[in-house]
């Protein structure tokens, strides 16, 4: 058995806790270890916050976020798109021993000049740590552009299960 969900959200700050709480609820119900759930929820929070802040078109102030490589059709596994200005999409899969999360926005994407390396934020910086934090919390992270359609951050983590886990028993 697996759990899959996708949200199409407005680029508003209130959408970030909604996505986080939905993920935490699904993992709690499935029986995922609380430490793993916490790590993934923080990574999701950072990805969503970046989509809200940077994921719009030039007309609404979005400016892109960090590093990238080209590719992707711009469609999620469900055929949906985050191309609408002012929107972004969150998709999560809990399947077997892994959770995979994808956050796709409708902004300008990652700047091409930062394709190879994203500079680390200064230790005293108030901004610029989100992508690095996602890299530290997840097992695998991939940053890419959807040419003409925005940026995508996808990450996954191997799951640990509680003894009473429902999803694991199936």
């Amino acid at each position: 058995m697996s759990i899959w969900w996708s949200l199409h959200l407005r680029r508003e700050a209130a959408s970030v806790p909604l996505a986080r709480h939905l993920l935490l609820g699904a993992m709690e119900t499935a029986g995922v270890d609380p430490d793993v759930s916490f790590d993934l929820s923080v990574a999701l929070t950072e990805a969503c916050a970046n989509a809200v802040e940077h994921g719009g078109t030039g007309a609404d102030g979005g400016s892109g976020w960090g590093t990238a490589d080209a590719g992707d059709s711009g469609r999620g596994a469900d055929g949906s798109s985050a191309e609408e200005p002012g929107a972004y999409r969150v998709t999560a899969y809990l399947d077997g021993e892994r959770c995979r999360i994808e956050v796709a926005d409708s902004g300008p994407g990652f700047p091409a000049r930062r394709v190879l390396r994203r500079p680390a934020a200064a230790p005293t910086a108030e901004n610029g740590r989100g992508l690095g934090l996602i890299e530290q919390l997840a097992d695998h992270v991939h940053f890419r552009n959807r040419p003409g359609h925005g940026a995508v951050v996808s990450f996954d983590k191997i799951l640990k299960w509680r003894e009473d886990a429902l999803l694991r028993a199936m």
Side-chain angles (χ1 to χ4, degrees):
M1 179 170 20
S2 62
I3 297 173
W4 173 88
W5 54 264
S6 186
L7 299 171
H8 191 103
L9 300 165
R10 288 187 180 153
R11 284 184 47 239
E12 298 172 357
S15 68
V16 178
L18 172 67
R20 181 181 61 243
H21 289 299
L22 185 58
L23 177 69
L24 284 169
M27 290 193 289
E28 169 68 23
T29 300
V32 175
D33 176 82
D35 291 336
V36 172
S37 297
F38 178 78
D39 287 353
L40 285 168
S41 73
V42 172
L44 175 63
T45 298
E46 291 298 330
C48 290
N50 279 329
V52 168
E53 184 175 346
H54 303 291
T57 62
D60 68 355
S63 61
W65 346 356
T67 64
D69 54 77
D72 196 345
S73 67
R75 298 277 173 197
D78 63 348
S80 66
S81 170
E83 295 173 26
E84 254 180 61
Y88 71 102
R89 184 186 30 138
V90 176
T91 307
Y93 309 88
L94 278 78
D95 190 21
E97 298 299 316
R98 183 174 75 138
C99 177
R100 179 166 187 84
I101 298 171
E102 180 178 284
V103 177
D105 69 36
S106 58
F110 296 106
R113 70 184 183 279
R114 298 179 128 182
V115 169
L116 296 177
R117 195 60 133 164
R118 186 176 33 76
T124 58
E126 292 187 27
N127 295 314
R129 295 188 177 145
L131 298 179
L133 187 56
I134 294 167
E135 290 174 324
Q136 294 299 311
L137 294 169
D139 293 329
H140 299 98
V141 181
H142 189 71
F143 305 106
R144 66 186 183 276
N145 283 334
R146 298 175 307 139
H149 300 290
V152 179
V153 174
S154 56
F155 53 95
D156 60 60
K157 189 166 184 80
I158 301 298
L159 298 173
K160 293 179 190 171
W161 300 94
R162 295 187 327 253
E163 289 297 319
D164 64 341
L166 294 176
L167 188 61
R168 182 179 180 186
M170 299 291 172

